Amino acid sequence: MDRRPGLSARLKLTLSYAGFLAVAGALLLAVVWAYLLRYVPDNSQGLLGISPNRYLLVHTFAPAAAVAMAFLLVFGLVGGWILAGRMLAPLTRIRDAARTAGTGSLSHRIRMPGRRDEFRELSDAFDSMLGQLESHVAEQQRFAANASHELRTPLAISRTLLDVARKDPARDRGELIERLYEVNTRAIDLTEALLLLSRGDRGTSTREGVDLSLLAEEAAETLLPLAEQRRITLDVTGGAAPADGSAELLSRMVTNLVQNALVHNLPSGGAVTVHTEADGGASVLRVENTGPALSPELVATLTEPFRRGTERVRTDEHAGVGLGLAIVQSVVRAHDGSLDLVPRPAGGLLVTVRLPATP
C-alpha cells in the first residue's frame, strides 16, 4: 500500500519530549512571575530602599530564563531522540522480522530478551504467529505434493491402459473399459474428497439447525448393505444431539466416520456402535468399532491427509484415498468442535466428536 511520507515515530516522540520540557519550563517561569516578581515593588527605591526593584529583577532574570528555556529545548530534543530510539528498538526488530517473513522466510524468530512488557508480548505473539504460519505452509506444501502424487497415479494407469489398447487392438475391450472405469471412479472420488476437504478448511458460512442423531441414522441406513456384506453389527443408540452448522458437511462427516469404522474392522463378526447425546453445552457423537489393535503413534497420524498407516491400507473395493478422517477433522474444525481418537484396548478405535450445541 502506497502512503505519503510522514514523520517517523521516533521523531514524533522526540518532539513530544522536547515540547513537554518546554511547556514545563514555561509553566515554571509563569509560576515564578505570578508568585514572586509580582510582589516586588516597581519603583526606583526598591523594597525598603535597599532591594532591587521589579524592573531590575526582570531584566536580570529574563536573559537567564531564555538561556534555560533554550537549554531545556535542546536537552529535550537530544535526550528525547536517544530515549525514543531505545524505546523503539524492539519495534525495529519486529519490523525487520516482518520484512524477512514477507520474503517467504518463516523460520526466523525474534526471541526478544528481557522482562515481559508490551513490546515483549508483541514479539512473542509475532513469533507464535510465524510458527503457526510455518507449520501451516509446510502442511499445505506436503498436502499439495501428496495430492499431486495421488492424482497422478490413476492418470498414469489410464494412460498405460490406453497405450496397451492402442498397441494391441485385438485385446478384450470389455476388460479394458472395466479397468478404465474403476481407475476413473477412483480419480473422481479423490477429486471430490479434495474439494470437500478444501470446503471444510475454508469454514462454513451457511448454518442451520442439525440433529446429529438423525444424521447417524441416515448414515447407518445408507451403509447397512456394507455392514451386512461384512457381517458386522451396526447399532445406533442415544438421543437427540442438536448442533448448528452445514447439514451437508456434517452428514459427510458422520458418513465418513461410520464407513471408516466398517471398512477398518474385523474380517467377520465385528461391531460398530454409533452413539449421540447432548452433554451440557455440547452435542456429542461417538463411533466405536472393533478391529485390529492400533498403536497410539499410528492413531495420532490418522487425521493427516494421505497418512493411512500400513496397518490400515485396504486393497479391496473399499480402498480409500486417505482423506476420510482428514475430512472429518476439517469439518469439525470448521464447526468449532473437537475430535478425539482413542485406540481401544481390545482393538479398534473410539472416535468422539464434540460440537457446540444449538442454543
Side-chain angles (χ1 to χ4, degrees), residues 75-344:
F75 180 79
L77 289 174
V78 176
W81 182 262
I82 297 174
L83 290 177
R86 292 180 61 86
M87 292 295 296
L88 295 178
L91 284 182
T92 303
R93 295 184 60 176
I94 297 175
R95 178 203 62 193
D96 295 340
R99 288 179 176 176
T100 302
T103 61
S105 176
L106 300 178
S107 60
H108 177 72
R109 298 292 182 272
I110 302 174
R111 295 188 179 90
M112 190 172 297
R115 296 186 178 183
R116 186 177 64 180
D117 58 14
E118 289 81 356
F119 289 130
R120 272 70 180 180
E121 290 180 353
L122 177 61
S123 66
D124 293 342
F126 191 81
D127 284 344
S128 177
M129 181 192 68
L130 285 179
Q132 294 178 1
L133 282 176
E134 184 180 19
S135 176
H136 182 70
V137 169
E139 180 180 353
Q140 292 298 319
Q141 291 176 345
R142 183 172 62 252
F143 175 81
N146 291 333
S148 300
H149 174 74
E150 294 286 339
L151 286 171
R152 183 176 59 183
T153 300
L155 294 177
I157 295 176
S158 299
R159 180 176 180 178
T160 301
L161 292 175
L162 292 174
D163 288 341
V164 171
R166 184 176 59 180
K167 296 178 180 178
D168 187 9
R171 188 180 180 86
D172 185 5
R173 293 191 175 184
E175 178 185 0
L176 175 63
I177 293 175
E178 184 66 25
R179 294 189 61 183
L180 283 174
Y181 178 81
E182 294 177 358
V183 173
N184 187 64
T185 301
R186 180 174 176 80
I188 292 176
D189 292 342
L190 176 60
T191 303
E192 291 179 349
L194 291 172
L195 292 175
L196 185 61
L197 182 61
S198 176
R199 284 185 54 194
D201 289 337
R202 291 197 307 268
T204 174
S205 57
T206 58
R207 292 181 176 265
E208 56 183 308
V210 181
D211 191 347
L212 296 181
S213 63
L214 298 180
L215 298 182
E217 293 177 358
E218 293 176 0
E221 182 179 356
T222 302
L223 296 171
L224 184 59
L226 176 61
E228 294 176 345
Q229 176 186 352
R230 294 174 174 270
R231 289 177 289 181
I232 296 175
T233 303
L234 177 58
D235 293 325
V236 179
T237 63
D244 188 30
S246 170
E248 180 185 358
L249 290 178
L250 291 177
S251 177
R252 185 59 182 267
M253 175 196 74
V254 177
T255 302
N256 279 12
L257 286 175
V258 177
Q259 183 176 4
N260 186 78
L262 291 173
V263 172
H264 302 287
N265 211 306
L266 296 175
S268 178
V272 174
T273 302
V274 184
H275 180 79
T276 58
E277 64 179 3
D279 183 13
S283 295
V284 182
L285 168 71
R286 292 189 180 91
V287 180
E288 185 175 7
N289 71 316
T290 56
L294 301 174
S295 65
E297 293 77 12
L298 175 63
V299 172
T301 65
L302 294 181
T303 57
E304 298 181 16
F306 308 108
R307 294 292 296 274
R308 287 163 287 190
T310 306
E311 297 90 337
R312 293 171 59 86
V313 174
R314 306 288 302 188
T315 58
D316 55 14
E317 68 277 10
H318 295 285
V321 296
L323 291 174
L325 291 179
I327 292 175
V328 170
Q329 185 184 50
S330 177
V331 173
V332 171
R333 189 188 302 117
H335 289 80
D336 302 321
S338 63
L339 175 66
D340 187 27
L341 281 69
V342 178
R344 299 174 68 247

